Every structure is written in C-alpha cells, then in structure tokens.
Amino acid sequence: KLDWDYDRRKVHLSMPGYVKKAIIELDHEPPHQRQDQPHRHVPPNYGAKTQYATPADDEPKLNKTDASRIRKITGKFLYLGRAVDGTLLTPLSAIASSQTSPTTATMEKASQFLDYVSSQEEAVLTYNASEMILATHSDASYLCEPNARSRAGGHFFLSNNDPFPANNGAILNIAQIIKNVMTSAAEAELA
C-alpha cells in the first residue's frame, strides 16, 4: 500500500495484514509474552584475550515436513523483509543458512522469529524527497555465525548531499554471512 503525503513530500509503504495472514497460514500460535528479539544474540565476552568461534550446530535433523516448514517461513517473510521491513533480513539469513539440513535449533530460530513478527506492529517504510545522492551505512560482526564465519550488513538509501546524510527509506538492505573465515573484526569490516 502506498500512502502519499504530498504536503510533506513523503510516501509511506506498508503491507497491512501481511504478517497476520502469514501467521495464520503457517499455523503459528502467537506468544503469550511479547518477543522483541528477532533471533538469539551471541553474548559478548568482555575482557577476553581470545574470541572463539560459535560452535557448529550438532542438534538432531528435522523431518521432511518440518524442513519444508522452515523453507516456507523463509520464503514468506523474505518478501516482506525485502519490500518493507529490513529488520527481518538478518534473522532470515541466519535461518536460511541452515535450511538445506535444518535441525531442531533451526526450528527454534524460526519459532522465535515468528514470535517476533507476530509481536511487532506492522512496519511502514517512509521515503522523503531528497537530492537523490546515494548514501550507505555498513557494519560487520566477527565470529558470530557457525563455522567461524562473520556477518556483514549494509543499508543503501538516497539522501541529500550532506557530510552526515539524514536516513531515508532503504533502496537496498543487505544482511549476509561472509563466506571466508576472517582473522579479526577489522578484516570482517573490510570484507
């Protein structure tokens, strides 16, 4: 849905009812307690001299029905994440990275993700009129994924030609696992 605000030179993009319809289609029971974290975080180890990789998932594999459910969840919400709500891309990437041989841990990630989307308000993406200068924000995290891998992300948007451009609606969001093993946080930032 497009909601034009000509006086303020803005347009608001949203997909009303999409999450509610998807939750019903996926037969997910909404959580009793609000979930505000889309996926588990890796707790920081302050003061540690050495940072160790996240251990590989050695949980039992899922049956074909549950594996199919994981793919359905990923596909259903990837559309919403790309179109309107970029906050969904990182948890979806984490789930999708293990969907070829999903385990019970993958199902727990998917369940937490569904609890998160059913607890949140519907996302609205707003574009403001600008000089259309491409601006980006990027970041990386080190050793936060299994097999000693790191994660990179980027937010690309159009803004004004300022030293610190004001944020605007994303034209592209990227959340992906870096394929190569990085040897430091600085190297992950450069990857």
Side-chain angles (χ1 to χ4, degrees):
K1 174 184 166 192
L2 296 177
D3 181 20
W4 293 92
D5 184 350
Y6 291 105
D7 295 332
R8 294 189 187 139
R9 301 181 64 206
K10 297 181 179 186
V11 63
H12 308 285
L13 282 70
S14 62
M15 296 175 69
Y18 187 88
V19 171
K20 192 177 287 188
K21 185 177 173 184
I23 293 295
I24 291 169
E25 183 181 316
L26 294 166
D27 196 29
H28 180 73
E29 186 71 30
H32 298 292
Q33 186 176 1
R34 183 179 169 89
Q35 176 60 267
D36 289 320
Q37 188 173 0
H39 63 100
R40 285 198 194 119
H41 70 285
V42 177
N45 190 358
Y46 297 111
K49 299 289 183 198
T50 306
Q51 187 171 350
Y52 296 102
T54 305
D57 184 7
D58 59 351
E59 299 281 326
K61 302 282 186 216
L62 294 178
N63 60 38
K64 287 185 178 183
T65 306
D66 289 339
S68 175
R69 178 176 169 77
I70 295 291
R71 288 189 294 276
K72 195 173 196 180
I73 291 167
T74 305
K76 178 66 75 176
F77 287 100
L78 184 59
Y79 178 68
L80 178 65
R82 284 281 185 203
V84 177
D85 191 357
T87 64
L88 304 181
L89 296 178
T90 300
L92 284 172
S93 171
I95 294 167
S97 69
S98 59
Q99 76 178 1
T100 55
S101 58
T103 63
T104 54
T106 310
M107 186 58 89
E108 288 171 12
K109 287 180 191 177
S111 182
Q112 181 172 349
F113 174 77
L114 290 174
D115 288 347
Y116 171 77
V117 295
S118 61
S119 296
Q120 303 303 307
E121 296 176 10
E122 290 186 347
V124 176
L125 181 63
T126 301
Y127 290 100
N128 297 296
S130 70
E131 295 172 5
M132 297 185 69
I133 304 296
L134 181 64
T136 63
H137 296 299
S138 64
D139 198 9
S141 61
Y142 176 61
L143 292 182
C144 62
E145 296 294 332
N147 302 322
R149 293 183 296 172
S150 301
R151 177 174 289 284
H155 172 71
F156 299 77
F157 60 98
L158 298 174
S159 191
N160 297 322
N161 194 15
D162 296 328
F164 302 101
N167 198 4
N168 201 351
I171 56 171
L172 176 65
N173 283 317
I174 297 173
Q176 66 184 38
I177 295 171
I178 301 170
K179 293 178 183 175
N180 301 326
V181 176
M182 301 292 117
T183 58
S184 68
E187 193 175 83
E189 292 281 345
L190 295 172

